[in-house]
Amino acid sequence: MQIGIVGKPNVGKSTFFCAATMATVDIASYPFTTIEANRGVAYVRGKCPHVDFNTQCVPGNAACENGTRMVPVELLDVAGLVPDAWQGRGLGNQFLDDLRQADALIHVVDASGSTDIEGAPVPPGSHDPVEDIKFLEREIDMWIRGILEKGWDRAARQAHLQGKNIEILLQERLTGLGVTPAHVNAAMRDISPPDNPLNWSPEIMLQLARAIRRYAKPMMIALNKADMADDDTLARLAEAANGLAVPTQAESELALKLAARSKLVDYMPGDGKFNVTDSSRLSSEQLKAIEQLHDNVARLQGTGVQKCLETAAFQLLDLIIVYPVEDETRLTDHNGRVLPDAFMVQKGTTAKELAYKVHTDLGDNFIRAINARTHRTVGNDYVLEDGDVITIVSRK
């Protein structure tokens, strides 16, 4: 799974990325600091089953910290987007090409209004961030429409002559964007375009592109620099984002993680508070900065960075965490490790589909599965639940 960190230049995208992944990237107060896409690994949290089973896990792909499983997700920080990027303006072509791989998008917006539509610094509050929320969606919509419209009449006529379903044609043209038949079918149901695709107007194509984007590239808003915005502004922006927005303070998160790494504070990502471990090691300026951090974190009940990641994973992408094991009685793999791996799968995933995710041979030779929590045998159509511990039984 890959989450794209997107937005116009100079809104704190790279700071958000760095705070989430602790990767070293260029951070500066000018547009297009990010040229090449940065990749890194962040984590989302889930309750480790070892707590319920009164045992001790031996993690493999996802660390366990005091009963909390830290499941890795890949982040992609791409170049800033400016208006008319879909026409190649700025670094638009590269930005949009990088987005092909993302399963979901976190759109970082400067909630303080201190960057204009191009990403240039302006006095705080002088730019309305609502404009930013809308323009980025339109850029992606126009980009998708451009892909659909290129040679559309000829492709639609050929599809008609071959008796090819129009949904298949649409999906084929957008395969490189990670668009699935399910995404296209859902979009077609929403739009209900005319039966003859040769009669589809540019507006119909834009509506279709917008619907496909909502399903294939679901997006939420990170209201960054929230510590510099008042509560009324944050509420107005959340309403403009249809409620799927989280106030964030990427700089505060990065500062806290660096301080925790130096053992100056006791802080866990996602917590709404932190404690200074040894004030004697801090200068008066550092103590003042820590006090300001404390006030900002307390006001917004956290920095919001971890909440953003988990909202993207568990709400946008509708994922759950499951734990495949080979021995349901000892909860071990073939090496004897207890609850070694955590897999994130979409809600609705079946036991057999999980078997394929673990290994193709397991799926091909699937016989049944065993739910380690209930000790019951389940079939290939068993729908997994969050936190399930599952043994796959297959033909040898």
Side-chain angles (χ1 to χ4, degrees):
M1 182 193 72
Q2 189 175 93
I3 298 174
I5 310 300
V6 302
K8 69 183 185 184
N10 204 24
V11 295
K13 291 188 295 82
S14 293
T15 304
F16 185 102
F17 173 84
C18 188
T21 64
M22 293 305 287
T24 301
V25 301
D26 289 331
I27 299 172
S29 296
Y30 53 83
F32 304 120
T33 304
T34 301
I35 303 298
E36 298 294 333
N38 297 306
R39 297 176 185 274
V41 176
Y43 300 88
V44 296
R45 299 167 297 175
K47 180 183 177 183
C48 184
H50 89 250
V51 176
D52 297 332
F53 286 94
N54 194 28
T55 185
Q56 183 56 56
C57 63
V58 183
N61 72 337
C64 183
E65 297 183 10
N66 300 318
T68 298
R69 209 62 179 253
M70 311 296 288
V71 185
V73 296
E74 186 177 5
L75 298 190
L76 180 70
D77 169 34
V78 301
L81 192 70
V82 295
D84 295 327
W86 65 277
Q87 294 179 316
R89 187 165 177 266
L91 299 177
N93 290 333
Q94 179 175 323
F95 169 95
L96 295 167
D97 194 57
D98 286 337
L99 284 192
R100 293 175 181 271
Q101 305 159 64
D103 299 297
L105 306 175
I106 295 176
H107 177 192
V108 181
V109 169
D110 178 358
S112 72
S114 58
T115 47
D116 66 18
I117 197 69
E118 302 282 345
V122 295
S126 61
H127 174 73
D128 187 357
V130 170
E131 292 183 39
D132 304 335
I133 293 175
K134 302 304 180 186
F135 107 83
L136 191 137
E137 292 179 351
R138 176 172 171 78
E139 291 298 325
I140 299 176
D141 295 344
M142 294 297 287
W143 173 55
I144 294 175
R145 188 182 78 170
I147 295 172
L148 289 177
E149 287 183 334
K150 189 173 182 179
W152 175 253
D153 286 353
R154 179 180 178 183
R157 287 193 188 94
Q158 187 174 4
H160 177 72
L161 291 174
Q162 295 174 348
K164 181 183 293 185
N165 188 295
I166 195 63
E167 285 85 353
I168 294 176
L169 173 62
L170 290 168
Q171 194 270 328
E172 287 177 347
R173 295 175 77 80
L174 298 174
T175 298
L177 277 66
V179 174
T180 67
H183 296 149
V184 172
N185 290 336
M188 289 287 283
R189 285 195 300 270
D190 289 351
I191 301 305
S192 297
D195 291 337
N196 187 348
L198 293 174
N199 294 333
W200 292 359
S201 66
E203 181 58 31
I204 289 291
M205 295 295 272
L206 181 59
Q207 291 177 18
L208 188 58
R210 184 179 300 122
I212 290 172
R213 186 258 306 160
R214 285 199 300 265
Y215 288 108
K217 305 292 180 186
M219 186 187 308
M220 63 169 294
I221 308 297
L223 300 174
N224 201 34
K225 306 181 187 180
D227 50 309
M228 298 168 58
D230 58 40
D231 292 344
D232 289 342
T233 297
L234 294 177
R236 182 171 63 87
L237 293 174
E239 183 178 1
N242 297 318
L244 201 56
V246 175
T248 62
Q249 311 169 65
E251 285 191 358
S252 296
E253 177 75 5
L254 181 57
L256 284 171
K257 282 188 173 179
L258 290 172
R261 178 182 287 180
S262 300
K263 301 189 184 304
L264 297 175
V265 302
D266 182 15
Y267 173 69
M268 281 291 292
D271 284 355
K273 60 182 179 180
F274 63 92
N275 298 310
V276 176
T277 56
D278 186 0
S279 59
S280 65
R281 297 174 55 199
L282 299 172
S283 67
S284 58
E285 288 187 358
Q286 288 175 318
L287 284 171
K288 186 176 180 180
I290 287 286
E291 184 178 345
Q292 184 62 56
L293 267 178
H294 183 275
D295 291 345
N296 291 340
V297 170
R299 176 197 161 208
L300 296 170
Q301 300 179 318
T303 70
V305 172
Q306 190 65 35
K307 185 176 181 181
C308 259
L309 297 175
E310 291 170 359
T311 300
F314 301 134
Q315 288 186 232
L316 280 188
L317 293 174
D318 216 18
L319 299 175
I320 60 174
I321 305 173
V322 296
Y323 301 82
V325 297
E326 288 194 18
D327 186 330
E328 72 279 4
T329 59
R330 296 188 300 159
L331 309 179
T332 56
D333 65 4
H334 64 279
N335 292 320
R337 297 180 302 170
V338 177
L339 295 164
D341 296 323
F343 276 57
M344 284 204 292
V345 299
Q346 276 200 313
K347 285 181 182 176
T349 297
T350 65
K352 187 170 184 177
E353 289 169 339
L354 174 63
Y356 274 110
K357 289 181 179 293
V358 175
H359 198 285
T360 302
D361 288 345
L362 278 181
D364 289 341
N365 296 292
F366 181 93
I367 298 175
R368 62 183 180 276
I370 301 171
N371 185 325
R373 291 186 182 274
T374 63
H375 305 291
R376 291 182 177 176
T377 297
V378 296
N380 63 354
D381 58 350
Y382 170 75
V383 177
L384 299 169
E385 297 182 3
D386 190 40
D388 269 354
V389 181
I390 297 291
T391 293
I392 305 297
V393 180
S394 64
R395 293 184 295 272
K396 303 299 183 182

